[in-house]
Amino acid sequence: MVLFYCDLSSWSQSGATPIPPLTIKRKRSQNELSPQELGLLENSWNPNIMRRLMAERFQRGASLWVVKWEEQIAGYGWTLPGATMEPHFFPIGIHDVHLFDFRIFPEYRGRRINPSLVGHILYELATDGKSRVFIEAEEWNQAQLSSLSRTPFRPLGLALRFRILGKTIVIWSAAPLPTQIG
């Protein structure tokens, strides 16, 4: 995995307002989702698993950020302040936020929606007084790496994480980080 961070205290906070036809809404509970939004999100993968994941995430205090293109859901991403949903590569502080499970639906890819979504989220988190934000991407996921290169995120390191007998093991790579990702 390639791990990234953004220090919100040194970020310029430009580009926080989505440019039409994009709109971005933060959802803090499943009750804030319209039936159409809920149905589309549940059916974007395995509906039973998505229902369980959404309930668990909202219960833990995560926010779902829904991005729309001309009023149609184009994608989403999750944020969780002060923690991660599963064991992470390192501890997250109380003023830190973890971004995870971002998805732009195939018919909307190539429109730079993800960098707009991430930029808007970073602005909102800075406004909320958060200090650092972390996200990771698979090393093979060139689309995600390219998208993150258009955001204020900077590479932090390369690491491999796995679990053995209930313990999380992290191996940091000695390989140099790419100077330009994407």
PDB file of all heavy atoms in Angstrom, residues 123-142:
ATOM      1  N   TYR A 123     -11.367  20.503   2.928  1.00  0.00           N
ATOM      2  CA  TYR A 123     -11.805  21.830   3.346  1.00  0.00           C
ATOM      3  C   TYR A 123     -12.749  21.737   4.547  1.00  0.00           C
ATOM      4  O   TYR A 123     -12.592  22.450   5.541  1.00  0.00           O
ATOM      5  CB  TYR A 123     -12.491  22.561   2.186  1.00  0.00           C
ATOM      6  CG  TYR A 123     -13.088  23.867   2.619  1.00  0.00           C
ATOM      7  CD1 TYR A 123     -12.290  25.003   2.764  1.00  0.00           C
ATOM      8  CD2 TYR A 123     -14.440  23.976   2.913  1.00  0.00           C
ATOM      9  CE1 TYR A 123     -12.822  26.207   3.182  1.00  0.00           C
ATOM     10  CE2 TYR A 123     -14.985  25.169   3.337  1.00  0.00           C
ATOM     11  CZ  TYR A 123     -14.181  26.282   3.471  1.00  0.00           C
ATOM     12  OH  TYR A 123     -14.720  27.470   3.891  1.00  0.00           O
ATOM     13  N   GLU A 124     -13.729  20.839   4.468  1.00  0.00           N
ATOM     14  CA  GLU A 124     -14.694  20.682   5.559  1.00  0.00           C
ATOM     15  C   GLU A 124     -14.005  20.197   6.835  1.00  0.00           C
ATOM     16  O   GLU A 124     -14.330  20.651   7.937  1.00  0.00           O
ATOM     17  CB  GLU A 124     -15.810  19.720   5.158  1.00  0.00           C
ATOM     18  CG  GLU A 124     -16.704  20.240   4.043  1.00  0.00           C
ATOM     19  CD  GLU A 124     -17.524  21.461   4.434  1.00  0.00           C
ATOM     20  OE1 GLU A 124     -17.908  21.571   5.621  1.00  0.00           O
ATOM     21  OE2 GLU A 124     -17.763  22.317   3.561  1.00  0.00           O
ATOM     22  N   LEU A 125     -13.067  19.276   6.702  1.00  0.00           N
ATOM     23  CA  LEU A 125     -12.345  18.772   7.870  1.00  0.00           C
ATOM     24  C   LEU A 125     -11.485  19.864   8.501  1.00  0.00           C
ATOM     25  O   LEU A 125     -11.395  19.959   9.729  1.00  0.00           O
ATOM     26  CB  LEU A 125     -11.499  17.559   7.498  1.00  0.00           C
ATOM     27  CG  LEU A 125     -12.276  16.313   7.058  1.00  0.00           C
ATOM     28  CD1 LEU A 125     -11.321  15.227   6.592  1.00  0.00           C
ATOM     29  CD2 LEU A 125     -13.207  15.810   8.152  1.00  0.00           C
ATOM     30  N   ALA A 126     -10.857  20.694   7.681  1.00  0.00           N
ATOM     31  CA  ALA A 126     -10.075  21.817   8.205  1.00  0.00           C
ATOM     32  C   ALA A 126     -10.985  22.787   8.944  1.00  0.00           C
ATOM     33  O   ALA A 126     -10.642  23.267  10.029  1.00  0.00           O
ATOM     34  CB  ALA A 126      -9.336  22.517   7.066  1.00  0.00           C
ATOM     35  N   THR A 127     -12.154  23.043   8.392  1.00  0.00           N
ATOM     36  CA  THR A 127     -13.134  23.914   9.033  1.00  0.00           C
ATOM     37  C   THR A 127     -13.582  23.338  10.375  1.00  0.00           C
ATOM     38  O   THR A 127     -13.825  24.074  11.333  1.00  0.00           O
ATOM     39  CB  THR A 127     -14.351  24.117   8.099  1.00  0.00           C
ATOM     40  OG1 THR A 127     -13.887  24.678   6.870  1.00  0.00           O
ATOM     41  CG2 THR A 127     -15.387  25.036   8.717  1.00  0.00           C
ATOM     42  N   ASP A 128     -13.650  22.003  10.449  1.00  0.00           N
ATOM     43  CA  ASP A 128     -14.035  21.319  11.691  1.00  0.00           C
ATOM     44  C   ASP A 128     -12.893  21.278  12.715  1.00  0.00           C
ATOM     45  O   ASP A 128     -13.061  20.719  13.798  1.00  0.00           O
ATOM     46  CB  ASP A 128     -14.473  19.874  11.401  1.00  0.00           C
ATOM     47  CG  ASP A 128     -15.805  19.785  10.680  1.00  0.00           C
ATOM     48  OD1 ASP A 128     -16.517  20.809  10.583  1.00  0.00           O
ATOM     49  OD2 ASP A 128     -16.144  18.677  10.213  1.00  0.00           O
ATOM     50  N   GLY A 129     -11.713  21.802  12.365  1.00  0.00           N
ATOM     51  CA  GLY A 129     -10.592  21.834  13.297  1.00  0.00           C
ATOM     52  C   GLY A 129      -9.733  20.580  13.308  1.00  0.00           C
ATOM     53  O   GLY A 129      -8.929  20.386  14.223  1.00  0.00           O
ATOM     54  N   LYS A 130      -9.868  19.747  12.300  1.00  0.00           N
ATOM     55  CA  LYS A 130      -9.020  18.550  12.221  1.00  0.00           C
ATOM     56  C   LYS A 130      -7.625  18.959  11.776  1.00  0.00           C
ATOM     57  O   LYS A 130      -7.438  19.976  11.106  1.00  0.00           O
ATOM     58  CB  LYS A 130      -9.617  17.514  11.266  1.00  0.00           C
ATOM     59  CG  LYS A 130     -11.013  17.064  11.665  1.00  0.00           C
ATOM     60  CD  LYS A 130     -11.050  16.518  13.069  1.00  0.00           C
ATOM     61  CE  LYS A 130     -12.433  16.079  13.479  1.00  0.00           C
ATOM     62  NZ  LYS A 130     -12.541  15.810  14.904  1.00  0.00           N
ATOM     63  N   SER A 131      -6.604  18.149  12.136  1.00  0.00           N
ATOM     64  CA  SER A 131      -5.229  18.556  11.840  1.00  0.00           C
ATOM     65  C   SER A 131      -4.555  17.760  10.733  1.00  0.00           C
ATOM     66  O   SER A 131      -3.887  18.331   9.883  1.00  0.00           O
ATOM     67  CB  SER A 131      -4.375  18.505  13.106  1.00  0.00           C
ATOM     68  OG  SER A 131      -4.401  17.214  13.662  1.00  0.00           O
ATOM     69  N   ARG A 132      -4.702  16.442  10.761  1.00  0.00           N
ATOM     70  CA  ARG A 132      -4.055  15.609   9.741  1.00  0.00           C
ATOM     71  C   ARG A 132      -5.071  14.628   9.181  1.00  0.00           C
ATOM     72  O   ARG A 132      -5.964  14.165   9.881  1.00  0.00           O
ATOM     73  CB  ARG A 132      -2.883  14.832  10.328  1.00  0.00           C
ATOM     74  CG  ARG A 132      -1.742  15.690  10.828  1.00  0.00           C
ATOM     75  CD  ARG A 132      -0.635  14.879  11.403  1.00  0.00           C
ATOM     76  NE  ARG A 132      -1.148  14.028  12.478  1.00  0.00           N
ATOM     77  CZ  ARG A 132      -0.426  13.138  13.137  1.00  0.00           C
ATOM     78  NH1 ARG A 132       0.836  12.952  12.828  1.00  0.00           N
ATOM     79  NH2 ARG A 132      -0.946  12.415  14.100  1.00  0.00           N
ATOM     80  N   VAL A 133      -4.849  14.278   7.917  1.00  0.00           N
ATOM     81  CA  VAL A 133      -5.748  13.345   7.239  1.00  0.00           C
ATOM     82  C   VAL A 133      -4.889  12.294   6.552  1.00  0.00           C
ATOM     83  O   VAL A 133      -3.847  12.614   5.975  1.00  0.00           O
ATOM     84  CB  VAL A 133      -6.636  14.082   6.207  1.00  0.00           C
ATOM     85  CG1 VAL A 133      -7.633  13.134   5.580  1.00  0.00           C
ATOM     86  CG2 VAL A 133      -7.362  15.251   6.871  1.00  0.00           C
ATOM     87  N   PHE A 134      -5.343  11.045   6.626  1.00  0.00           N
ATOM     88  CA  PHE A 134      -4.600   9.926   6.048  1.00  0.00           C
ATOM     89  C   PHE A 134      -5.491   9.142   5.092  1.00  0.00           C
ATOM     90  O   PHE A 134      -6.693   9.010   5.309  1.00  0.00           O
ATOM     91  CB  PHE A 134      -4.095   8.991   7.161  1.00  0.00           C
ATOM     92  CG  PHE A 134      -3.162   9.661   8.111  1.00  0.00           C
ATOM     93  CD1 PHE A 134      -3.631  10.227   9.282  1.00  0.00           C
ATOM     94  CD2 PHE A 134      -1.811   9.756   7.814  1.00  0.00           C
ATOM     95  CE1 PHE A 134      -2.769  10.862  10.160  1.00  0.00           C
ATOM     96  CE2 PHE A 134      -0.938  10.391   8.686  1.00  0.00           C
ATOM     97  CZ  PHE A 134      -1.423  10.950   9.860  1.00  0.00           C
ATOM     98  N   ILE A 135      -4.873   8.614   4.050  1.00  0.00           N
ATOM     99  CA  ILE A 135      -5.552   7.750   3.085  1.00  0.00           C
ATOM    100  C   ILE A 135      -4.489   6.819   2.514  1.00  0.00           C
ATOM    101  O   ILE A 135      -3.299   7.122   2.575  1.00  0.00           O
ATOM    102  CB  ILE A 135      -6.252   8.577   1.971  1.00  0.00           C
ATOM    103  CG1 ILE A 135      -7.205   7.717   1.148  1.00  0.00           C
ATOM    104  CG2 ILE A 135      -5.227   9.287   1.098  1.00  0.00           C
ATOM    105  CD1 ILE A 135      -8.120   8.522   0.218  1.00  0.00           C
ATOM    106  N   GLU A 136      -4.905   5.705   1.982  1.00  0.00           N
ATOM    107  CA  GLU A 136      -3.965   4.787   1.346  1.00  0.00           C
ATOM    108  C   GLU A 136      -4.568   4.250   0.060  1.00  0.00           C
ATOM    109  O   GLU A 136      -5.775   4.301  -0.144  1.00  0.00           O
ATOM    110  CB  GLU A 136      -3.575   3.639   2.283  1.00  0.00           C
ATOM    111  CG  GLU A 136      -4.702   2.756   2.737  1.00  0.00           C
ATOM    112  CD  GLU A 136      -5.491   3.330   3.907  1.00  0.00           C
ATOM    113  OE1 GLU A 136      -4.980   4.119   4.693  1.00  0.00           O
ATOM    114  OE2 GLU A 136      -6.679   2.966   4.012  1.00  0.00           O
ATOM    115  N   ALA A 137      -3.671   3.769  -0.811  1.00  0.00           N
ATOM    116  CA  ALA A 137      -4.093   3.188  -2.082  1.00  0.00           C
ATOM    117  C   ALA A 137      -3.179   2.005  -2.382  1.00  0.00           C
ATOM    118  O   ALA A 137      -1.991   2.014  -2.029  1.00  0.00           O
ATOM    119  CB  ALA A 137      -3.990   4.221  -3.200  1.00  0.00           C
ATOM    120  N   GLU A 138      -3.744   1.019  -3.031  1.00  0.00           N
ATOM    121  CA  GLU A 138      -2.943  -0.121  -3.471  1.00  0.00           C
ATOM    122  C   GLU A 138      -1.900   0.379  -4.470  1.00  0.00           C
ATOM    123  O   GLU A 138      -2.184   1.232  -5.306  1.00  0.00           O
ATOM    124  CB  GLU A 138      -3.830  -1.175  -4.137  1.00  0.00           C
ATOM    125  CG  GLU A 138      -4.883  -1.771  -3.237  1.00  0.00           C
ATOM    126  CD  GLU A 138      -4.349  -2.868  -2.340  1.00  0.00           C
ATOM    127  OE1 GLU A 138      -3.160  -3.224  -2.471  1.00  0.00           O
ATOM    128  OE2 GLU A 138      -5.119  -3.362  -1.513  1.00  0.00           O
ATOM    129  N   GLU A 139      -0.707  -0.166  -4.377  1.00  0.00           N
ATOM    130  CA  GLU A 139       0.390   0.262  -5.250  1.00  0.00           C
ATOM    131  C   GLU A 139       0.075   0.034  -6.732  1.00  0.00           C
ATOM    132  O   GLU A 139       0.536   0.779  -7.595  1.00  0.00           O
ATOM    133  CB  GLU A 139       1.665  -0.470  -4.845  1.00  0.00           C
ATOM    134  CG  GLU A 139       2.917   0.094  -5.435  1.00  0.00           C
ATOM    135  CD  GLU A 139       4.173  -0.582  -4.891  1.00  0.00           C
ATOM    136  OE1 GLU A 139       4.085  -1.640  -4.247  1.00  0.00           O
ATOM    137  OE2 GLU A 139       5.251  -0.034  -5.141  1.00  0.00           O
ATOM    138  N   TRP A 140      -0.739  -0.961  -7.042  1.00  0.00           N
ATOM    139  CA  TRP A 140      -1.096  -1.274  -8.428  1.00  0.00           C
ATOM    140  C   TRP A 140      -2.213  -0.385  -8.967  1.00  0.00           C
ATOM    141  O   TRP A 140      -2.453  -0.342 -10.164  1.00  0.00           O
ATOM    142  CB  TRP A 140      -1.519  -2.733  -8.565  1.00  0.00           C
ATOM    143  CG  TRP A 140      -2.668  -3.104  -7.666  1.00  0.00           C
ATOM    144  CD1 TRP A 140      -2.579  -3.738  -6.459  1.00  0.00           C
ATOM    145  CD2 TRP A 140      -4.062  -2.862  -7.881  1.00  0.00           C
ATOM    146  NE1 TRP A 140      -3.830  -3.894  -5.908  1.00  0.00           N
ATOM    147  CE2 TRP A 140      -4.762  -3.368  -6.761  1.00  0.00           C
ATOM    148  CE3 TRP A 140      -4.802  -2.271  -8.905  1.00  0.00           C
ATOM    149  CZ2 TRP A 140      -6.144  -3.289  -6.630  1.00  0.00           C
ATOM    150  CZ3 TRP A 140      -6.182  -2.194  -8.778  1.00  0.00           C
ATOM    151  CH2 TRP A 140      -6.839  -2.703  -7.665  1.00  0.00           C
ATOM    152  N   ASN A 141      -2.920   0.335  -8.098  1.00  0.00           N
ATOM    153  CA  ASN A 141      -4.105   1.103  -8.501  1.00  0.00           C
ATOM    154  C   ASN A 141      -3.698   2.468  -9.077  1.00  0.00           C
ATOM    155  O   ASN A 141      -3.762   3.498  -8.404  1.00  0.00           O
ATOM    156  CB  ASN A 141      -5.053   1.266  -7.312  1.00  0.00           C
ATOM    157  CG  ASN A 141      -6.402   1.824  -7.718  1.00  0.00           C
ATOM    158  OD1 ASN A 141      -6.548   2.426  -8.777  1.00  0.00           O
ATOM    159  ND2 ASN A 141      -7.381   1.631  -6.859  1.00  0.00           N
ATOM    160  N   GLN A 142      -3.270   2.439 -10.340  1.00  0.00           N
ATOM    161  CA  GLN A 142      -2.768   3.653 -10.984  1.00  0.00           C
ATOM    162  C   GLN A 142      -3.834   4.750 -11.083  1.00  0.00           C
ATOM    163  O   GLN A 142      -3.505   5.935 -10.977  1.00  0.00           O
ATOM    164  CB  GLN A 142      -2.212   3.323 -12.372  1.00  0.00           C
ATOM    165  CG  GLN A 142      -0.930   2.521 -12.314  1.00  0.00           C
ATOM    166  CD  GLN A 142       0.166   3.225 -11.532  1.00  0.00           C
ATOM    167  OE1 GLN A 142       0.479   4.379 -11.782  1.00  0.00           O
ATOM    168  NE2 GLN A 142       0.753   2.536 -10.571  1.00  0.00           N
TER     169      GLN A 142
END
